[in-house]
């Protein structure tokens, strides 16, 4: 896989049982790139090791005054120099390719999981953690994947050089061969502490990122209530904790780097001291001493890859663990006797066995729930996004479980718009250019969502002077628009898709009452013949619904028309009219008094009638 071939046609099914297994799976899926990097790395590091041989031969040729051997040494140095240049260039090219393609694979996996889970993802994983995984963690995972091949090349090159020194000059080669493993493994006792500090730094950074994202998302509200400085102080404190953790982690890694410099320096001193004695005794030639010295000096470069791979693994392991945790999330599966179904999209009533909620096909059903959080969870369930801890059966559409449908068919059949829909940056045309059935064009959807004033505002904010609101740009998350304007544009986007079932969670909570009434009437007309479920407590919306379902404590408590439930169901009336407990008790007392008066009137009416009859007869 080359960078120009991205994205992957299919990123594959990852092994998410643990962070290390996920890293191993990524490495196996890039085996070709890893082998290329290994080959170029061997050429590069072997060339570095071969320079010591050329240098030793050149020095010995000068000592022996041999022009032929000096020319041969020069040719070897030129050959190894070319190997270093070619190997280094191609190794860097291949390593960067492995890094980018590994990061791209993880990004595709995360994007696919996000599309699969939808808004249920942030219900199971904190938004800050999702941001950390999709940004910094992806880079660190790619770093480790590409560093593995360079590390293996460095390790094999060191083995080759050590074996060559033992064969070429056993007296010093054995000393070097025994010392190199000590140099490579000397940092192992320090790695657990360094990894622990790196994990603490990552954890604090994730919390700071989550706090920052929450602060930015609620910045307008914070400014309105004067809480901006409070949250800025909290983020400032969190960032200082991240800085302190990063400094403590850096101290440990600096200690590891110092060990990597100190021990090879000690080895060089030992080689020089022992080799000089051997040369003075005539047991080795000067060229041999130069060869061994140069080999030990040049081996310091591949030895640093041992430190890099340790650092890359310690940083990528928590990142891979977080990525595996996100990628391991699955849709709630409900297995029944039917098994899997084909891509056919079912039609019919929408039914939730857990609550008893039934939304008949082709009607506008309003759902009233006293707990907003419970309403949000129920809306997610109706779209097939049940929480992971929920073990209840799947929602049925036309008698077919949504969890039995392929993901594409389930998403095309039921669309859920949550309380806080997101508007991506771009033009209004791009915002409404989404997969749709084609039954509703954007103009009708915008009209039904009462977006006239939004279009006027976009025309005034247009920078190209075209006067076409469809070409006007919308800023990130629609921050240049008011809450009601963002809500109506999101509603128009949902109406354009024209799904078989549309679930709206408080779609008009940020608009005024007059606009809300017009939206309710227009949506009902536009969605005629299709199933629509609206979670709301506004009487203006409820009065336009074909049927209203009152859900209390996780179960359907009453079903009927809005005015009937308002008259006959105290719990429903309390939610819709927002009565306090005292007002509810007063209303109950008044109803009881009215019932008692009615009973007295019913009892006294026959006696009064008989008395009138007796008076009339006597008269």
């Amino acid at each position: 896989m080359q960078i120009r071939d991205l994205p992957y046609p299919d990123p594959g099914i990852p092994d998410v049982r643990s962070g290390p297994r996920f890293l191993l799976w990524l490495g196996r899926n890039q085996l070709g790139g890893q082998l290329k990097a290994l080959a170029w790395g061997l050429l590069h590091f072997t060339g570095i090791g071969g320079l010591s041989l050329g240098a030793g031969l050149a020095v010995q040729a000068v000592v022996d005054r041999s022009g032929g051997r000096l020319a041969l040494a020069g040719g070897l140095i030129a050959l190894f120099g070319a190997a270093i240049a070619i190997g280094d260039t191609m190794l860097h090219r291949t390593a960067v390719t492995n890094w980018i393609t590994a990061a791209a694979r993880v990004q595709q996996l995360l994007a696919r999981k996000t599309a699969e889970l939808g808004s249920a993802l942030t219900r199971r994983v904190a938004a800050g953690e999702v941001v950390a995984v999709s940004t910094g963690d992806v880079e660190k995972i790619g770093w480790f994947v590409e560093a593995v091949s360079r590390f293996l090349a460095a390790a094999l090159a060191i083995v080759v050089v050590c074996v060559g020194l033992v064969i070429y000059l056993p007296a010093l080669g054995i000393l070097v061969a025994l010392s190199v493993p000590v140099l490579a493994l000397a940092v192992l006792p320090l790695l657990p502490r360094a990894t622990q500090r790196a994990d603490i730094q990552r954890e604090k950074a994730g919390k700071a990122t989550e706090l920052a994202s929450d602060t930015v998302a609620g910045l307008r509200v914070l400014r309105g209530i004067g809480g901006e400085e409070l949250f800025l102080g909290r983020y400032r404190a969190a960032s200082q904790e991240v800085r302190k953790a990063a400094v403590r982690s850096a101290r440990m890694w600096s200690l590891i780097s110092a060990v990597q410099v100190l021990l090879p320096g000690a080895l060089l001193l030992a080689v020089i001291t022992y080799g000089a004695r051997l040369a003075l005794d005539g047991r080795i030639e000067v060229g041999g001493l130069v060869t061994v010295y140069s080999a030990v000096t040049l081996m310091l470069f591949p030895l640093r890859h041992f430190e890099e791979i340790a650092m890359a693994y310690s940083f990528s392991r928590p990142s891979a663990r977080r990525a595996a945790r996100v990628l391991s999330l699955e849709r709630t599966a409900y297995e029944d006797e039917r098994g899997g179904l084909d891509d056919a999209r079912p039609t019919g009533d929408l039914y939730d066995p857990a609550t008893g909620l039934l939304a008949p096909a082709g009607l506008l059903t309003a759902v009233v729930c006293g707990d907003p959080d419970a309403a949000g969870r129920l809306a997610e369930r109706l779209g097939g996004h049940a929480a992971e801890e929920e073990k209840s059966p799947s929602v049925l559409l036309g008698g077919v479980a949504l969890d039995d449908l392929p993901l594409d068919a389930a998403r095309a059949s039921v669309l859920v718009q949550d309380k806080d829909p997101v508007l991506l940056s771009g033009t209004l045309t791009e915002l409404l250019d989404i997969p749709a059935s084609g039954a509703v064009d954007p103009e009708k959807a915008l009209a039904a969502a009462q977006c006239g004033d939004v279009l006027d505002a976009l025309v005034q904010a247009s920078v190209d002077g075209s006067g076409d609101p469809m070409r006007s740009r919308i800023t990130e998350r629609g921050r240049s628009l008011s809450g009601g304007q963002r809500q109506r544009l999101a509603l128009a986007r949902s109406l354009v898709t024209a799904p078989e079932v549309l679930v709206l969670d408080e779609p008009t909570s940020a608009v005024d009452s007059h606009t809300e009434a017009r939206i309710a009437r227009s949506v009902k007309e536009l969605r005629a013949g299709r199933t629509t479920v609206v979670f709301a407590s506004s009487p203006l919306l409820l009065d336009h619904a074909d049927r209203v379902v009152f859900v209390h404590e996780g179960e359907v408590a009453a079903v009927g028309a809005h005015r009937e439930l308002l008259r006959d169901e105290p719990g429903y009336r309390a939610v819709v009219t927002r009565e306090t407990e005292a007002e509810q008790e007063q209303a109950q007392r008044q109803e009881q008094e009215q019932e008692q008066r009615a009973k007295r009137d019913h009892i006294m009416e026959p006696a009064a009638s008989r008395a009138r009859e007796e008076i009339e007869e006597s008269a």
Side-chain angles (χ1 to χ4, degrees):
M1 172 63 71
Q2 298 297 321
I3 297 176
R4 63 176 177 269
D5 300 325
L6 294 174
Y8 288 93
D10 180 12
I13 306 299
D15 186 349
V16 293
R17 289 177 289 178
S18 65
R21 288 180 181 271
F22 179 61
L23 293 174
L24 180 61
W25 177 84
L26 283 175
R28 287 202 310 266
N29 278 269
Q30 289 189 296
L31 190 58
Q34 297 286 355
L35 292 177
K36 288 180 182 179
L38 177 61
W40 291 118
L42 282 175
L43 178 63
H44 173 59
F45 293 123
T46 303
I48 292 176
L51 282 179
S52 60
L53 177 61
L57 291 177
V59 170
Q60 191 61 41
V62 172
V63 172
D64 296 340
R65 299 180 182 276
S66 173
R69 282 189 293 166
L70 182 60
L72 176 62
L76 287 177
I77 291 175
L79 178 63
F80 287 127
I84 292 173
I86 296 174
D88 189 23
T89 301
M90 298 306 298
L91 173 61
H92 179 73
R93 177 186 177 90
T94 309
V96 170
T97 300
N98 289 339
W99 189 336
I100 294 177
T101 51
R105 187 187 295 274
V106 179
Q107 285 280 23
Q108 280 188 250
L109 292 171
L110 291 171
R112 185 174 67 181
K113 184 59 64 174
T114 302
E116 176 184 346
L117 296 177
S119 59
L121 175 62
T122 53
R123 292 181 181 272
R124 306 185 190 182
V125 182
E129 184 169 353
V130 176
V131 173
V133 170
S134 59
T135 53
D137 287 343
V138 168
E139 180 181 353
K140 293 176 178 61
I141 292 172
W143 175 30
F144 174 76
V145 171
E146 69 87 13
V148 169
S149 56
R150 290 189 290 110
F151 162 72
L152 292 177
L156 290 176
I158 289 174
V159 171
V160 171
V161 171
C162 289
V163 172
L165 289 178
V166 171
I167 296 175
Y168 175 72
L169 198 63
L172 286 177
I174 294 176
L175 173 63
V176 174
L178 294 177
S179 301
V180 166
V182 177
L183 298 181
L185 302 177
V187 298
L188 287 182
L190 302 176
L191 288 180
R193 180 65 63 84
T195 302
Q196 180 182 8
R197 293 188 177 184
D199 290 346
I200 294 175
Q201 178 190 353
R202 292 282 164 247
E203 180 181 357
K204 291 183 179 297
K207 291 181 179 179
T209 303
E210 181 179 354
L211 179 60
S213 62
D214 292 342
T215 302
V216 172
L219 190 58
R220 179 176 296 181
V221 178
L222 293 175
R223 287 174 175 172
I225 62 176
E228 183 179 3
E229 289 299 327
L230 174 62
F231 275 82
L232 286 177
R234 292 180 180 178
Y235 179 73
R236 189 179 296 111
S239 64
Q240 288 301 313
E241 291 183 4
V242 175
R243 182 189 62 80
K244 293 177 182 178
V247 170
R248 294 183 72 247
S249 178
R251 287 174 180 171
M252 184 57 65
W253 288 110
S254 64
L255 177 60
I256 292 176
S257 299
V259 171
Q260 291 284 356
V261 173
L262 177 63
L263 293 184
L267 175 60
L268 279 177
L269 292 176
V271 168
I272 292 174
T273 303
Y274 184 54
R277 290 180 180 178
L278 293 178
L280 290 175
D281 294 341
R283 297 171 58 183
I284 62 173
E285 296 179 341
V286 176
L289 176 59
V290 172
T291 298
V292 176
Y293 172 78
S294 301
V296 174
T297 303
L298 294 175
M299 274 196 299
L300 297 181
F301 178 69
L303 275 174
R304 291 182 179 179
H305 287 275
F306 286 79
E307 176 190 353
E308 182 191 11
I309 195 66
M311 183 181 296
Y313 180 73
S314 65
F315 277 87
S316 65
R317 186 175 60 86
S319 298
R321 185 173 62 247
R322 283 195 292 266
R325 182 166 61 250
V326 173
L327 295 175
S328 64
L329 299 175
E330 298 289 345
R331 296 176 63 204
T332 304
Y334 173 59
E335 300 296 339
D336 59 15
E337 298 177 356
R338 292 187 303 276
L341 299 176
D342 55 18
D343 291 335
R345 300 176 184 177
T347 59
D349 299 342
L350 184 69
Y351 176 67
D352 179 22
T355 60
L357 172 62
L358 174 66
L363 299 182
L364 173 61
T365 301
V367 181
V368 176
C369 186
D371 184 359
D373 293 333
R377 290 192 296 269
L378 180 54
E380 296 293 340
R381 275 187 49 77
L382 294 180
H385 301 281
E388 188 175 10
E389 63 272 9
E390 292 187 14
K391 304 301 181 182
S392 53
S394 170
V395 171
L396 306 178
L397 176 59
V400 178
L402 288 182
D403 288 337
D404 287 340
L405 292 173
L407 182 61
D408 294 341
R411 292 293 180 269
S413 299
V414 182
L415 173 66
V416 178
Q417 177 182 307
D418 59 14
K419 291 186 181 69
D420 187 20
V422 176
L423 300 181
L424 302 179
S425 60
T427 65
L428 185 55
T429 299
E430 293 171 343
L431 175 68
L432 300 178
D433 184 16
I434 54 178
S437 64
V440 178
D441 55 50
E443 289 75 14
K444 292 182 179 179
L446 291 169
Q450 302 298 311
C451 294
D453 63 320
V454 184
L455 300 180
D456 294 338
L458 291 177
V459 169
Q460 294 177 3
S462 176
V463 295
D464 58 3
S466 62
D468 184 3
M470 302 301 291
R471 297 176 59 184
S472 300
R473 294 196 62 82
I474 299 174
T475 57
E476 181 186 1
R477 300 180 68 93
R479 298 189 189 281
S480 59
L481 304 173
S482 67
Q485 290 174 332
R486 289 196 302 269
Q487 202 171 55
R488 282 175 283 162
L489 282 181
L491 176 60
R493 180 180 58 185
S494 299
L495 294 175
V496 167
T497 62
E500 180 66 27
V501 179
L502 177 60
V503 180
L504 304 172
D505 189 2
E506 295 288 353
T508 57
S509 59
V511 301
D512 60 84
S513 58
H514 297 289
T515 306
E516 186 177 33
R518 292 195 299 268
I519 290 176
R521 182 169 54 254
S522 301
V523 169
K524 183 177 181 180
E525 294 174 356
L526 188 65
R527 293 283 302 171
R530 292 185 177 87
T531 308
T532 307
V533 181
V534 181
F535 285 79
S537 59
S538 170
L540 295 173
L541 271 177
L542 299 175
D543 203 29
H544 286 84
D546 296 311
R547 67 198 304 266
V548 179
V549 179
F550 176 50
V551 178
H552 181 63
E553 295 183 353
E555 294 182 355
V556 173
V559 179
H562 165 61
R563 299 180 185 274
E564 295 175 356
L565 295 177
L566 197 63
R567 182 185 64 247
D568 302 333
E569 186 64 35
Y572 176 84
R573 183 171 58 250
V575 174
V576 173
T577 62
R578 296 170 175 81
E579 290 180 343
T580 62
E581 294 183 0
E583 291 173 340
Q584 294 180 32
E585 294 177 357
Q586 182 179 359
Q588 291 177 357
R589 287 196 299 269
Q590 292 176 352
E591 290 179 358
Q592 292 174 358
E593 292 175 357
Q594 291 177 357
E595 291 178 358
Q596 292 175 359
R597 284 198 298 268
K599 289 180 179 179
R600 288 197 300 268
D601 294 341
H602 181 70
I603 295 173
M604 296 178 63
E605 184 177 357
S609 300
R610 288 195 299 272
R612 285 195 298 269
E613 292 176 355
E614 292 177 357
I615 293 173
E616 291 176 354
E617 290 177 356
S618 62

